[in-house]
Amino acid sequence: MTGPAPTIALVGNPNAGKSSLFNALTGARQKIANYPGVTVERKSGHASFADGRPLALVDLPGSYSLSPASPDEAVTRDVVLGRQTGEKRPDALIVVVDAANLDNHLCFALELIALGLPTVVALNMLDLAERDGLTLDPDRLAAELGVPVVPTVAVRKRGLTELLAAVDGAILSHGLSATDQPAPPPGDTALHQRARAIARAATLAETPVRRWTQRVDAVALHPVFGLLILLALMFVMFQAVYAWSEAPIAWIEDGIAALQALASDHMAAGFLRGLVVEGLLAGVGAVVVFLPQILILFLFILLLEASGYMTRAAFLMDGIMAKVGLSGRGFIPLLSSFACAVPGIMATRAIPDAKDRLTTILIAPLMTCSARLPVYTLIIGAFIPNRSVGGSPVGLQGLVLFGLYVSGIVGALVVAFVLRRSVTKGNAAGFMMEMPRYQWPRLRDVGIALWQRAWIFLRRAGTIIAATTAVLWLLLSYPQAPAGGDVRQVDYSIAGRIASGLEVVVKPIGFNHDIALALIPAMAAREVAVSALATANAIDAGDDEDAVAQSLSERLQGRWSIATALAFLAWFVFAPQCISTIAITRRETNGWRWPLFMVGYLFALAYAAAGITYWTAVAFGLG
Amino acid sequence: MIAKLDSSPLGIAVRIARIDWTSMSHDEGRRLREFGLLEGSEVTPLHRGSLFSRDPLALTIGRMKVIIRSKQAAAIEVEPATT
């Protein structure tokens, strides 16, 4: 057979193990993009049949039926019906069902089979079902469904060759007899009864549900202990972000310093060397240093998600979130926003209620994202003494950081409370969710996801951040201050003059010229504030060897008061300084109205918070 | 005797006798059915809320565990399970 490689879509319920199967089939050969017009992630990849012919695989968002309840599920429906713009109808479907949850997953499978496309059912996670006391008969299931059924264990790569062979066969035989019109899927209740009957027929033996998940849940979902465990997990997570990242950060810093030295030695003094050493390396380096912390944070979030704990956390948080008009569903996007608001806001697509979803989007930037870590770490490291609190093992620096996280969370809850009673008023949001079984996260799946995050971050550092730093370096270096004058180059430059204008506005809240200068390029991304300070500092130090030897934080200590530093921290709890977040909000809310509202209210809060912090600190004699 | 799912004791299996579909939105009703919460299904309520609230409710249906809010549970009438 010749012709283009067939496109095969993976479809199934949430928690059917679809992504693991997709990873197992494609390996790392994946591409993540967006469907045109909607911000639903399109995961595609390549694989090949046993004889080497290529095929394209698309992983569709998990869904319960062809009647969508969210934008994600709408994409799944549109793709399998061939209605999704820019996506051709798949040549075949692999319907992924959880072997241990047939009653439920067969409903969607029956709907999909009725579409009449070449279809193969992957009876996935068969090992877990067997461990759970279920004995199934795949042949019987195939006979009942009228399509091939292949047992698979995605995480052990079992059944993959057979699965693709069955797909190949289904496409071939379909071409011979594809005349029958697809039967319309039967109504809800009838469909369910049929699914249940088929599941029963295909089940040879069944023991009661194993108790250990129940036992774990008795503790993990306990009204008091459950919450304590959740809190403890969060605490460990944020401590680890600091403790585990120290060594790798030092390696990266050494590496960048070595590169700077190398460039200084091998390049002639002048424009290009300045741009590379003071601009690009100082600026980009100041941001890349945070890769370890970001990866540690993502690692925790991915592990919580893959183990099935995240839904438990949503359950525990639902009561609190309901009080401010949100639902436990919002907890997952908000927790992801601690890593980055962009995937967080994208994850709100799973929230079915529109007003609930909008509110969650609007408060997501208040979660302390990893881009704030560079700013927080720099300022905390420079101004908060590194000692323990009252002889306990808790460090003061860690405590301040914890306080900043808490401020963001409390701020978000208050804002949600106000919004749900004003601009996003509506019915109480619902909360319906399936709780997956606990399982060991698969190293491979976590590894692939982590690698994708690292790549996105590095690409950003290499493009947006490198470009803004280079532009900033130019604006800071020209025009050149007259030699021998007592005007600092940083003040004399174009950027310095723009900053002087902004300084008038931010002076009342304790911000100095340095900060005004850093705030403008930081509109691109918060961490740019650090690279901007670093670049300005590098130019300012110029050829003065003592100044060059000083670290950025030592220089800041000499130039800022503690009150100013604290106000700067308070500012970044709220300030919406991230182009990507604003852009994703525009896309997710289909217009400029809500992103503008978000930027407006967050800047107002940032200004107020910084002002209050500054004047309070000054009153305590820290000015 | 009519018992509602939102006040059923935890850990005891019950059978769904009737669901008041009119008290919830079309989408809510559909999602309940997709979870398999239908007249005749057997469910076991297991966990209810946390320190701050009696909401939500986690229950098992078949081999699946799902979360719903008490508002929906209040629309579900249950009777003792036969098995």
Side-chain angles (χ1 to χ4, degrees), chain A residues 366-368 376 400-414 569-570 573-574 609:
Chain A
L366 282 168
M367 299 299 122
T368 301
Y376 289 173
V400 170
L401 185 76
F402 189 66
L404 290 168
Y405 276 94
V406 171
S407 313
I409 296 167
V410 171
L413 291 179
V414 172
L569 289 176
V573 171
F574 298 99

Side-chain angles (χ1 to χ4, degrees), chain A residues 262-354:
Chain A
L262 194 74
S264 299
D265 289 350
H266 288 83
M267 291 171 80
F271 172 80
L272 209 56
R273 190 174 93 176
L275 179 66
V276 170
V277 176
E278 293 168 359
L280 289 177
L281 285 174
V284 174
V287 172
V288 171
V289 148
F290 296 95
L291 184 62
Q293 294 186 330
I294 288 163
L295 289 185
I296 293 168
L297 198 58
F298 268 120
L299 174 68
F300 270 89
I301 287 173
L302 288 167
L303 288 177
L304 290 180
E305 203 136 23
S307 63
Y309 182 77
M310 205 63 125
T311 319
R312 271 77 186 178
F315 176 88
L316 290 167
M317 294 305 291
D318 183 61
I320 300 169
M321 300 192 57
K323 288 201 175 19
V324 297
L326 299 172
S327 76
R329 276 267 191 195
F331 182 71
I332 298 167
L334 291 179
L335 191 64
S336 308
S337 299
F338 280 110
C340 176
V342 173
I345 287 173
M346 283 166 64
T348 62
R349 288 184 310 238
I351 302 175
D353 183 86

Side-chain angles (χ1 to χ4, degrees), chain A residues 123-140:
Chain A
L123 190 59
N124 200 23
M125 304 200 270
L126 195 62
D127 58 334
L128 286 180
E130 278 164 1
R131 215 180 64 188
D132 221 30
L134 270 177
T135 315
L136 299 173
D137 181 352
D139 296 333
R140 180 70 197 275

